[in-house]
Amino acid sequence: MALSPRPLADTLDGVVERAAALSPYLRAVIARHGGDVDWTSVGALESQVALEAAKLNPGHRRPLDLDALAPLLRQAKQRVHLILALLDLSCAWDHAKVTHALTVFADACVGAGLNSALAARGLSGDGLVVLAFGKMGAFELNYSSDIDVTVFFDPEQFEGGPKGPQDGAVRVVQDLCGLLERQTEDGYVFRTDLRLRPDPSATPIAVSTARAQRYYESVGQNWERMAWIKARFCAGDAAASAHFMKNMTPFVWRRHMDYWAIDDVHAIKRMINAKVGDPDMDTVDCDVKLGAGGIREIEFFVQTQQVIHGGRRPALRVPATLDALSALSRAGCIDSGEAGELARAYGGLRALEHRIQMLDDNHTHSVPSDPDARHRLALLMGLDGADKLRQELLDTRRSVHRLYSGLFEQDADHAAGPVPGNLVFTGVDKDPGTVRTLGQMGFTAPSRVISAIQRWHRGQVPATRSAQGRALLTKMTPRLLLALSSTGDGDTAFENFERFFDGLRAGVQLLSMLDAEENILEDLVSTLAAAPKLAAVLSREPSLLESLIAGQLHTDFEATTDASFEARMGEARRFHRDQSFLIGHALLNGVLSPAEAAAAFTGLANTMVCAMAEAASAETERKFGAAPGVWCLLGLGSFGGRELTAVSDLDLILVYEPNDEAAAGPWFTRLTQRLITALSAPTEEGALYEVDMRLRPSGRAGPVAVRYSAFEAYHFGPAWTWEHMALTRMAPVAGDHELGLRCREAACRAIDQRKARPTLAGEIDDMRARLRQERRPWGGWDTKRSEGGLVDIEFLVQKRLLQLGGRNAITPHTHDALGRLGEAGAAASDTIECLQSAWRFQSAARQLLQLALDAPVRSDAWPDLLKARLCAALGAPTFEDLCRARDEHYEAVVAARQVFT
């Protein structure tokens, strides 16, 4: 059986007696104002409620002083509350008549207060308009409603006093709200809510009509159109109001709803209750307004149809919910049987809502959880107990929700997934159901999430400045929140996404891609959650996400051969940006192992160096003629060893063999300078790599381009031991192949000559000790500098390679070099395996951390998802296990250092 109120007693005297017994608030009002109210008949009550509103209209009399008006309004409000409660509880009036009368009284209070506020400041009020919204706008005020009002002024008409119209309007509104809201010994009149004005977080409490129109024309949203359906003139300048509302008609009632606008309405429907088909109906203390099957679902059912069809059908432009249901039924927009079912449910729910508020005059919509209060509420409904109330309410809510859920049938393909409840970001309130839902999804600061999404919906970031961008955001918000929640650290993931989204320069193209490609959204969220550094890169270059659609790693870059030097630099940077992101993304998501990522980063660097060397050579030849000899580029360090990470710089040496002694030095110096520019100069497309050429003979003191004979002479002469250590990781990367081989041969002979030096081991050990003092690790996860870390392993390997000499002294890749040393019997096999295992672990950790983190950060501040990705890549069940494994590797390397001689 549907919920329906019954008379509280057979007579009005009986209603008064039972109301006093059941409602503490009504008992207090009867005690204070019972002598002022005539309840001898329904007719007497009806005439009194009309009179209370009429008495507040001053007519031609001068408005009362604000202090004098305040007690009159409060006392009149309590009398009206008593009168309407008796008419409601006796069922002499239905909810529609009760809400209409209460709204008429509220209008009278606002009008009287506005007149007094204007008079107190000596203002005429021309051009000042108070509009009612929400239930007040529809003449549907609850028994203990807030009133939603918005104040606009036309600066051409409203003078506003000595500081101008804006200041004057704000001061009048402050006076009016203070009059209505202030709690005194007589209570309060109405709580006022001004937040339905345009962009309430950024606008004053009174808004100029011109500013309002600009806002609605540029970033007005569909939920604001739905709010404006109920907007009407309440007080102030009626002519100015009519002019303003006429200008607002094209915004509210769009004759042609484009695809994006209609899709946005559908998306709002999905968010209003994302848990369609599985509502928590059996909750005893349910919210009859916001809960599943409640008043809001009926109102939203109506308003979505109005906003979609009302632009072409003026008959649908009615504010009251029951009137709108009838109009929609007559127009064939909804079934007449469904309209009648919803109308009956609406009446029962609104009657219950009034009685909930009658208990203590609280602005609440929830059935009390206290059994005694719930029993008294049932009796106020004329039912014989709480069980009966529960059953009728359950039947009604199921009926409403069944019809409301039908609105979602056409959206089944866009379902948000298993969202555990409401996700509502329209309007200005923080929906309690949404707060609960976000909490259940793992967000510890739901209000912050709601505020950010509301800010995006108001077009306060570039990505949502357009209506299409806002519609796309609305549509994808549930999926976005589910993806953020699934990372296991929704707060950090949301913070990173917020930073990313706020930084976008535009949004429609990206949002369209995320909407169309569900896996791309999930990829984006996981990347943002696990890797703050990649998140920052994506914020600057959101177009990188497009590369995920193709998702192809390749190194076959070819610059346009007839393009300018600068154009070829730009092409290379765009290619490098896409490929570097794809490598990092694949590493982060386990598609590439850390070792494979190192090889991919190095392969990409080889491609870029070769391309830019070719471009630099062509540009030098164009300006200064053909090359006076041959040249080669040598890579050293991580580049030579094929161990690059996402942020490695490139250690390079350019060596040349001249065929024209006089021209060679200047020509190859220019070539080297152009190559450095091609690789490292920042352009509008960014840069490729930092280039370090300090490993050339004589370092910064020597020429940037080195003649082969000088290279050979230096390394057979004054070269330092550390420079020969660097040569063990040398590899030709570009230029003349034969010259590259000659350089390698010369380096091998130079190293072989040094192995006989008796002080060699001591020099290397002293260097390591000095480096340990000068470059301390930033923390336990600095796997390069920590005691027992990568630098220790590299020193051990290079020391042994120099001691052994021979052609195998140059083995650039550390892991391979350890294998060569094992084959040569330079250390026991278990020691070699121990060092290789430590090197693999530490290199992998460094590879991932350099990709994910902007700067050294203690591990207790890392995103949980990053810890999980590290564990997956390094084969550890938990992060604690991973930390133990790290420390064991450090200890093993330190132990191996004692025997690796």
Side-chain angles (χ1 to χ4, degrees), residues 127-129 131 133 150-154 198 207-209 212 216 228 244:
L128 189 72
V129 176
L131 298 186
F133 282 80
T150 302
V151 180
F152 300 97
F153 65 92
D154 182 346
V207 183
S208 78
T209 52
Y216 289 119
W228 269 85
F244 176 52

Side-chain angles (χ1 to χ4, degrees), residues 32 143 171 189 194 234 263 291 325 498 548 726 818:
R32 186 163 190 178
Y143 193 73
R171 292 180 185 275
V189 189
L194 301 166
C234 171
D263 200 55
L325 275 169
E498 182 180 16
L548 293 179
L818 281 165

Side-chain angles (χ1 to χ4, degrees), residues 715-786:
H715 283 292
F716 276 90
W720 295 82
T721 297
W722 68 264
E723 292 178 297
H724 280 179
M725 291 172 67
L727 290 182
T728 65
R729 310 195 73 193
M730 186 183 78
V733 293
D736 185 76
H737 179 67
E738 292 300 324
L739 182 59
L741 291 179
R742 288 173 62 196
C743 289
R744 190 181 188 284
E745 288 293 329
C748 284
R749 286 186 279 110
I751 291 172
D752 204 47
Q753 176 183 337
R754 185 173 288 267
K755 74 180 180 181
R757 189 167 179 154
T759 60
L760 179 66
E763 291 175 12
I764 295 174
D765 291 342
D766 288 345
M767 275 189 286
R768 178 65 188 110
R770 191 163 58 250
L771 194 62
R772 193 176 291 119
Q773 291 297 317
E774 293 173 357
R775 298 185 181 179
R776 296 184 178 277
W778 54 261
W781 279 100
D782 187 346
T783 60
K784 179 176 181 179
R785 296 187 178 91
S786 289

